[in-house]
Amino acid sequence: MLSIDTKNMTNRLHEENRKRWDAGSAQWARGADSRGLWRRCPAEPELVLSPRELAYLTDIRGKHVAVLGSGDNQVVFALAGLGGAVTSVDISQHQLDVAARRAQELDLAVSFLRADVTDLARLDSSTFDIVYTGGHVAVWVSDLDRYYAEAARILKADGLFVVAEYHPFRRIWKESTHQLIVASSYFERGPFEYDVSEEILHPKPGALKSYEFHWTISDYINAVLKAGCRLLEVDEFGKDVADWEGAPLNGLPEHFLVVARKEAGQPA
Ligand SMILES: C[S@@+](CC[C@H](N)C(=O)[O-])C[C@H]1O[C@@H](n2cnc3c(N)ncnc32)[C@H](O)[C@@H]1O
């Protein structure tokens, strides 16, 4: 783990992460093309949203929805297919370009905005009925409180805030086929620095870095509460273990969900 004072480093670390996602987006897009989910999820949202999430998201026709850290945009397309007027926000222009091409092909009306989730100044306060974020986004963000405060700011009073993230219990293990060995304490938030040059087929070692943050379950819940939201549900679920996870994680929760509403009377 790096010892970095992240207070004034946010932009630099996020900027490195942005470069990493821009560089990796073509490769990421090829993977998504081979799975083909993005074509199906507008008509079959259950392919990319769990029943627990869908319980809050089925009745969204005509509602204004923001998806923060939209990545492969499968959730964006599912929510657009359910009738939401969706704004897809991501820090990587390359990721957004891929998504915009796909949205056009699927004839889905989606607005795209390149922005850092900790600074959504280009979105007006109190404009969205729903803000959805998750699927490995917070791990790239150095300031969870600012991120969720921005999410709450753009929500209308009583608007719905849905956080559906990879469970932090899955992040702390060494690569091993048969044994769980702690690689970093659950309480070490990072930043964890990785050289991802080789992973993204970049020729020069060290040219691409990424910075990851390991937030705890209480960090997530407290950030939602500090943002001025009241909790409706907290859940932990899922048991699938993917090849890339590299450790025998069976028996540990795969995802967690926090559903909240912005309290009326919160500053816009
Ligand atoms: C692993 S993807 C996950 C996103 C999406 N849920 C998915 O399943 O594809 C992470 C995305 O978060 C975006 N991202 C990383 N840091 C960000 C930041 N500070 N602000 C906005 N987006 C960010 C990346 O560009 C990338 O598209």
Side-chain angles (χ1 to χ4, degrees), residues 69-254:
S70 47
D72 58 21
N73 278 255
Q74 289 175 168
V75 167
V76 167
F77 294 174
L79 296 175
L82 287 165
V86 188
T87 299
S88 163
V89 179
D90 200 282
I91 201 167
S92 159
Q93 188 61 50
H94 290 207
Q95 291 279 79
L96 292 172
D97 290 345
V98 170
R101 278 198 300 277
R102 290 176 175 165
Q104 198 176 21
E105 190 180 325
L106 298 174
D107 203 19
L108 291 173
V110 172
S111 303
F112 293 97
L113 174 68
R114 198 192 82 71
D116 186 320
V117 291
T118 61
D119 179 5
L120 301 177
R122 288 176 60 204
L123 296 174
D124 289 337
S125 300
S126 309
T127 30
F128 291 94
D129 301 289
I130 299 167
V131 172
Y132 178 100
T133 193
H136 305 259
V137 179
V139 68
W140 306 102
V141 179
S142 62
D143 189 336
L144 197 62
D145 289 347
R146 244 166 80 182
Y147 169 17
Y148 289 178
E150 279 293 81
R153 182 186 62 75
I154 63 171
L155 266 179
K156 294 176 184 168
D158 220 34
L160 193 71
F161 185 25
V162 180
V163 174
E165 279 286 4
Y166 185 58
H167 201 291
F169 285 1
R170 292 265 185 134
R171 286 205 188 279
I172 59 176
W173 312 103
K174 280 191 182 158
E175 294 239 342
S176 164
T177 49
H178 59 286
Q179 239 186 324
L180 279 181
I181 307 159
V182 173
S184 58
S185 154
Y186 177 70
F187 300 103
E188 279 178 23
R189 271 69 169 187
F192 297 87
E193 183 187 81
Y194 298 102
D195 180 352
V196 288
S197 312
E198 203 179 327
E199 188 189 317
I200 319 186
L201 309 176
H202 201 276
K204 209 165 110 218
L208 284 174
K209 293 256 162 61
S210 74
Y211 294 92
E212 299 189 10
F213 300 85
H214 290 187
W215 305 114
T216 66
I217 288 289
S218 53
D219 291 337
Y220 285 104
I221 292 174
N222 286 326
V224 170
L225 292 172
K226 274 192 230 163
C229 298
R230 69 175 185 282
L231 296 180
L232 302 184
E233 182 177 350
V234 178
D235 208 347
E236 295 161 286
F237 59 96
K239 53 185 169 52
D240 293 341
V241 182
D243 295 348
W244 59 265
E245 294 187 279
L249 299 169
N250 316 67
L252 290 173
E254 192 184 357

